C-alpha cells in the first residue's frame, strides 16, 4: 500500500477486482487510492457446517453437556484435564492437534475413555461409561463439533489459533488463548469468543464452563449467536463469482 512501492502498485491497479474480507481492509485499500476494491467477505464461512454428527454418537453423549476440545496443544490440555473430576456431568470430545501425543494424553486421564478409531466396535456400555472420546483420526473433527455444546479451540497459547468457524457453524461458543492475530473473527463483537489470559489457570477455564452449565439461558444465547454469526458472513464465494461471471451466460 505504500506510495513508494511502484511496481506492486501498478500490478494491483491493473486488476479488475481485488476482493477484501473485511470493511477495514477495503477502507485501507481505498485510502491507498485504489479504485478496484470490492468487499466480498471471507470464503471460509462458506465451507463450514456442511457435515452432520456421526451416526451412533448419542451412545457416548448420552444427552449430557458436551465440550469439544479441538486441535489442542498441551496448554489447553493442562487447563482441561484437571477439570474432568470437577465437572462429572460433562462429556468431553478431545481432538489433539498432534495425534502422536495421544498415548501421553490418555495416560493423564483420570476417567474412563474411548478412542474414536475403535468406537464402532466398542460395546454400548463402554460408550456410555466413557467420559472422554479421544479423536485419534484425521478429518473427523468438523462432524464431531456437531455433537457439542461448547468448544475449547487450541493453538492460541502458542503457534496461533486454529479454526473456530467449524465450532460456530454448529452453534458452539468458543474459549481459546489470547494469540488470535490473523483471525479477525475471534475479536469480532458479534462472535461468542472468550479469550483466556496468556497465563491462564485451571480456574479460568472452570469459571467459563461453570457459567454456561449453571445458566442454560447464557449457553443457548451464545449458541444462537454463533450460528447467526456464520449465517451473516456466508456468501463470499457467490459474490466473487457474480462479480467475475455475473453477466456471462452459463
Amino acid at each position: 500500500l505504500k506510495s513508494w512501492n511502484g511496481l506492486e502498485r501498478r500490478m494491483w491497479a491493473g486488476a479488475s477486482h481485488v476482493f477484501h474480507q473485511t470493511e477495514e481492509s477495503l477502507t485501507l485499500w481505498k485510502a491507498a487510492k485504489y479504485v478496484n476494491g470490492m468487499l466480498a467477505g471471507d470464503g471460509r464461512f462458506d465451507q463450514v457446517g456442511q457435515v452432520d454428527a456421526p451416526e451412533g454418537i448419542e451412545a457416548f453423549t448420552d444427552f449430557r453437556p458436551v465440550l469439544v476440545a479441538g486441535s489442542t496443544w498441551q496448554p489447553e490440555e493442562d487447563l482441561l484435564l484437571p477439570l474432568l473430576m470437577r465437572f462429572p456431568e460433562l462429556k468431553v470430545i478431545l481432538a489433539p492437534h498432534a495425534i502422536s501425543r495421544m498415548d501421553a494424553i490418555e495416560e493423564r486421564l483420570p476417567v474412563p475413555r474411548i478412542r474414536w478409531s475403535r468406537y464402532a466396535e466398542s460395546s454400548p456400555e463402554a460408550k456410555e461409561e466413557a467420559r472422554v472420546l479421544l479423536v485419534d483420526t484425521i478429518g473427523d473433527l468438523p462432524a464431531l463439533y456437531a455433537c457439542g455444546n461448547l468448544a475449547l479451540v487450541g493453538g492460541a497459547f502458542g503457534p496461533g489459533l486454529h479454526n473456530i468457524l467449524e465450532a460456530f457453524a454448529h452453534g458452539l461458543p468458543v474459549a481459546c488463548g489470547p494469540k488470535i492475530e490473523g483471525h479477525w473473527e475471534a475479536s469480532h463483537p458479534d462472535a461468542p469468543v472468550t479469550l483466556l489470559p496468556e497465563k491462564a489457570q485451571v480456574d479460568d477455564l472452570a469459571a467459563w464452563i461453570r457459567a454456561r452449565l449453571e445458566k442454560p439461558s447464557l449457553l443457548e444465547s451464545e449458541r444462537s449467536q454463533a450460528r447467526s454469526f456464520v449465517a451473516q458472513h456466508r456468501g463470499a464465494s457467490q459474490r466473487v463469482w457474480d462479480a467475475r461471471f455475473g453477466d456471462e451466460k452459463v
Side-chain angles (χ1 to χ4, degrees):
L1 300 181
K2 302 299 184 181
S3 59
W4 48 260
N5 192 2
L7 176 61
E8 288 193 15
R9 286 184 64 86
R10 286 193 294 272
M11 293 170 61
W12 284 115
S16 60
H17 299 82
V18 177
F19 298 100
H20 294 260
Q21 290 185 343
T22 66
E23 289 278 7
E24 292 78 7
S25 175
L26 181 58
T27 297
L28 290 172
W29 194 251
K30 290 179 177 179
K33 307 303 182 183
Y34 290 109
V35 296
N36 56 2
M38 177 178 176
L39 180 65
D42 192 335
R44 293 175 301 156
F45 286 83
D46 298 334
Q47 307 301 319
V48 295
Q50 307 299 318
V51 291
D52 297 324
E55 185 176 352
I57 193 65
E58 63 277 0
F60 167 74
T61 57
D62 194 28
F63 303 100
R64 293 163 66 175
V66 178
L67 183 148
V68 182
S71 300
T72 59
W73 296 68
Q74 186 169 338
E76 290 85 18
E77 294 149 14
D78 288 345
L79 297 176
L80 176 62
L81 298 189
L83 297 178
L84 294 173
M85 301 301 291
R86 198 181 301 189
F87 295 98
E89 72 275 35
L90 187 68
K91 294 265 190 166
V92 172
I93 297 174
L94 175 56
H97 176 71
I99 297 176
S100 60
R101 298 176 46 248
M102 189 64 71
D103 289 341
I105 294 172
E106 189 167 13
E107 290 177 0
R108 297 178 59 190
L109 294 178
V111 295
R113 81 286 299 186
I114 189 171
R115 291 207 181 198
W116 180 237
S117 61
R118 304 169 191 163
Y119 187 82
E121 62 196 50
S122 300
S123 68
E125 293 77 16
K127 295 173 183 176
E128 181 179 355
E129 179 186 9
R131 287 280 314 287
V132 177
L133 177 62
L134 291 167
V135 184
D136 55 351
T137 59
I138 296 174
D140 292 320
L141 180 58
L144 290 168
Y145 274 123
C147 315
N149 303 99
L150 58 165
L152 173 66
V153 178
F157 287 107
L161 182 63
H162 291 289
N163 192 337
I164 64 175
L165 299 183
E166 293 172 342
F168 283 170
H170 292 291
L172 279 63
V174 168
C176 63
K179 296 181 180 179
I180 59 172
E181 294 80 2
H183 293 268
W184 66 267
E185 68 278 8
S187 59
H188 195 284
D190 294 336
V193 177
T194 297
L195 302 182
L196 300 170
E198 184 173 357
K199 296 183 179 180
Q201 303 297 312
V202 171
D203 285 345
D204 294 314
L205 181 59
W208 182 78
I209 295 173
R210 183 178 297 108
R212 284 142 188 84
L213 296 185
E214 294 182 353
K215 193 174 182 181
S217 61
L218 171 62
L219 179 56
E220 286 308 308
S221 175
E222 289 186 333
R223 285 174 61 80
S224 177
Q225 185 181 358
R227 294 189 185 97
S228 296
F229 182 70
V230 172
Q232 290 168 6
H233 289 86
R234 290 193 190 277
S237 302
Q238 188 63 49
R239 284 188 284 274
V240 171
W241 177 268
D242 289 345
R244 180 61 184 88
F245 302 108
D247 295 333
E248 298 182 9
K249 293 183 178 180
V250 178

